[in-house]
Amino acid sequence: MSHVNGLQLDTPTRKKVTIRSLQYKKKNHTPISMVTAYDYSGARMVDAAGADMVLVGDSLAQVMLGYEDTVSLTMDEMLHHCRAVARGTQYAFRVGDMPFMSHQESHQQAIRNAGRLLQEGRMEAVKLEGGVYVADTIRAISRAGIPVVGHIGLTPQTISQLSGYRIQGRTGTDAYRLYQDALALQEAGALAIIFELMPTLVAEFISEKLDVPTIGIGAGAGCDGQVLVYHDMLGFLHETAPRFLKRFANVEAVVVDAISTYIGEVEAREFPAEEHTYRIKEEEFDKFMELVQTDNAAT
Ligand code: KIV
């Protein structure tokens, strides 16, 4: 695989990821990687790094737009970011989140908004949160020809109902409920299911029982794949990190350091230096001066 400036170039061996290739990975126990992205440059880097799937998650609300939670995000905001991500993605399978209240009213509403994510946002699948109670919606969307990814366990859009950010499936009854949720989503046609914040043993057991891939976040290594939020894994927005999060870089520190160096150089008149500037030929500058002087003489 060849790289230029860290970006992977087109190679004949790299193929576009499809639903079929994701199923193949599940069957062959090959781990699936998914990373979120929200804009063109981020998507380019996620794609160049070789991720199987890129998710325009509704975490967009918090990490890009500064909202307090994901509930505030609108369809139009999501579409705007999906389009940018689609432009930056060549190989990864593109999934767009359905914002809160974009599918809850009726199946017609769900199909219409899911369709917009594909038609206008150029996504290849939509993701929606919920268990047994959204299975019928998932069925309706997939019957309309729109691939769907499910999302169970901790579901941030219904965080109040769950009484906050808590690990799900920690009692036998709750774990069994998650199992029922996963089976219902698979039966409804979900192509994959996100497992968020649940005990490793529970996630592993359910993953083995399912035919569709499971993608975990805070659900241990027994899932068929893993997903992390771009800003969290790269160390933007340094806030308290949950136990499951591994930071693979400290980008915030690098960026703040670079910008403060720039400010220091501007203030010290060290930037721009000679090599960052453009010249004019001496005779052209003389001509310019002559023109200015002629102007002055006339006024
Ligand atoms: O919105 C998001 O980023 C997500 C992931 C955490 C799975 O749903």
Side-chain angles (χ1 to χ4, degrees):
M1 201 171 283
S2 51
H3 290 73
V4 166
N5 292 334
L7 283 187
Q8 196 175 297
L9 292 179
D10 252 356
T11 61
T13 51
R14 191 160 177 212
K15 290 206 175 102
K16 171 83 190 85
V17 178
T18 60
I19 296 174
R20 201 178 142 101
S21 60
L22 294 170
Q23 281 162 348
Y24 186 80
K25 281 200 158 191
K26 161 96 186 180
K27 224 170 158 185
N28 288 281
H29 305 286
T30 309
I32 295 168
S33 56
M34 182 191 233
V35 183
T36 67
Y38 314 97
D39 59 16
Y40 173 74
S41 58
R44 265 178 62 116
M45 291 188 271
V46 168
D47 201 59
D52 294 308
M53 301 173 85
V54 61
L55 169 67
V56 189
D58 63 358
S59 47
L60 157 65
Q62 291 154 301
V63 299
M64 292 293 285
L65 305 180
Y67 292 139
E68 203 177 308
D69 51 39
T70 57
V71 168
S72 319
L73 192 75
T74 66
M75 261 311 282
D76 285 340
E77 286 168 330
M78 177 53 83
L79 283 167
H80 177 72
H81 288 267
C82 284
R83 284 192 288 270
V85 167
R87 289 191 286 268
T89 311
Q90 206 178 341
Y91 298 102
F93 186 78
R94 306 182 299 275
V95 182
D97 238 335
M98 296 206 63
F100 181 61
M101 290 318 292
S102 65
H103 62 85
Q104 284 87 342
E105 280 172 27
S106 64
H107 289 174
Q108 283 89 334
Q109 184 212 24
I111 293 168
R112 189 171 54 248
N113 282 325
R116 288 188 74 194
L117 286 174
L118 264 65
Q119 271 189 318
E120 299 171 40
R122 307 308 303 162
M123 294 291 102
E124 295 171 280
V126 301
K127 171 168 91 58
L128 57 99
E129 294 181 8
V132 169
Y133 61 95
V134 296
D136 280 343
T137 308
I138 292 185
R139 188 172 292 108
I141 299 173
S142 353
R143 282 194 181 153
I146 301 167
V148 187
V149 173
H151 182 158
I152 62 168
L154 184 111
T155 45
Q157 289 178 9
T158 46
I159 202 69
S160 316
Q161 271 182 335
L162 300 175
S163 303
Y165 287 86
R166 291 140 45 94
I167 296 148
Q168 303 295 301
R170 268 194 150 161
T171 65
T173 318
D174 279 353
Y176 184 70
R177 181 181 48 79
L178 291 177
Y179 182 38
Q180 296 301 310
D181 283 340
L183 291 175
L185 299 195
Q186 171 171 275
E187 195 273 323
L191 73 99
I193 307 174
I194 306 280
F195 282 5
E196 181 163 354
L197 267 199
M198 59 173 85
T200 304
L201 268 181
V202 175
E204 187 171 358
F205 175 86
I206 305 176
S207 297
E208 277 168 13
K209 293 285 174 196
L210 294 180
D211 296 324
V212 296
T214 63
I215 318 284
I217 173 160
C223 295
D224 301 302
Q226 298 295 323
V227 55
L228 281 179
V229 168
Y230 183 90
H231 291 67
D232 293 342
M233 65 171 294
L234 295 179
F236 286 92
L237 308 172
H238 264 282
E239 279 147 16
T240 49
R243 179 190 169 91
F244 70 78
L245 176 64
K246 178 170 175 186
R247 292 202 202 282
F248 290 84
N250 188 353
V251 173
E252 188 174 75
V254 173
V255 171
V256 171
D257 189 48
I259 296 174
S260 69
T261 304
Y262 157 74
I263 293 168
E265 290 192 13
V266 167
E267 287 174 353
R269 296 193 188 283
E270 285 167 17
F271 175 82
E274 186 64 24
E275 68 265 31
H276 308 118
T277 57
Y278 304 95
R279 292 174 166 276
I280 182 170
K281 284 186 186 144
E282 213 177 310
E283 63 268 27
E284 292 300 330
F285 193 73
D286 289 346
K287 195 166 156 192
F288 168 55
M289 282 295 114
E290 264 169 45
L291 287 170
V292 172
Q293 274 150 18
T294 321
D295 241 12
N296 285 348
T299 54

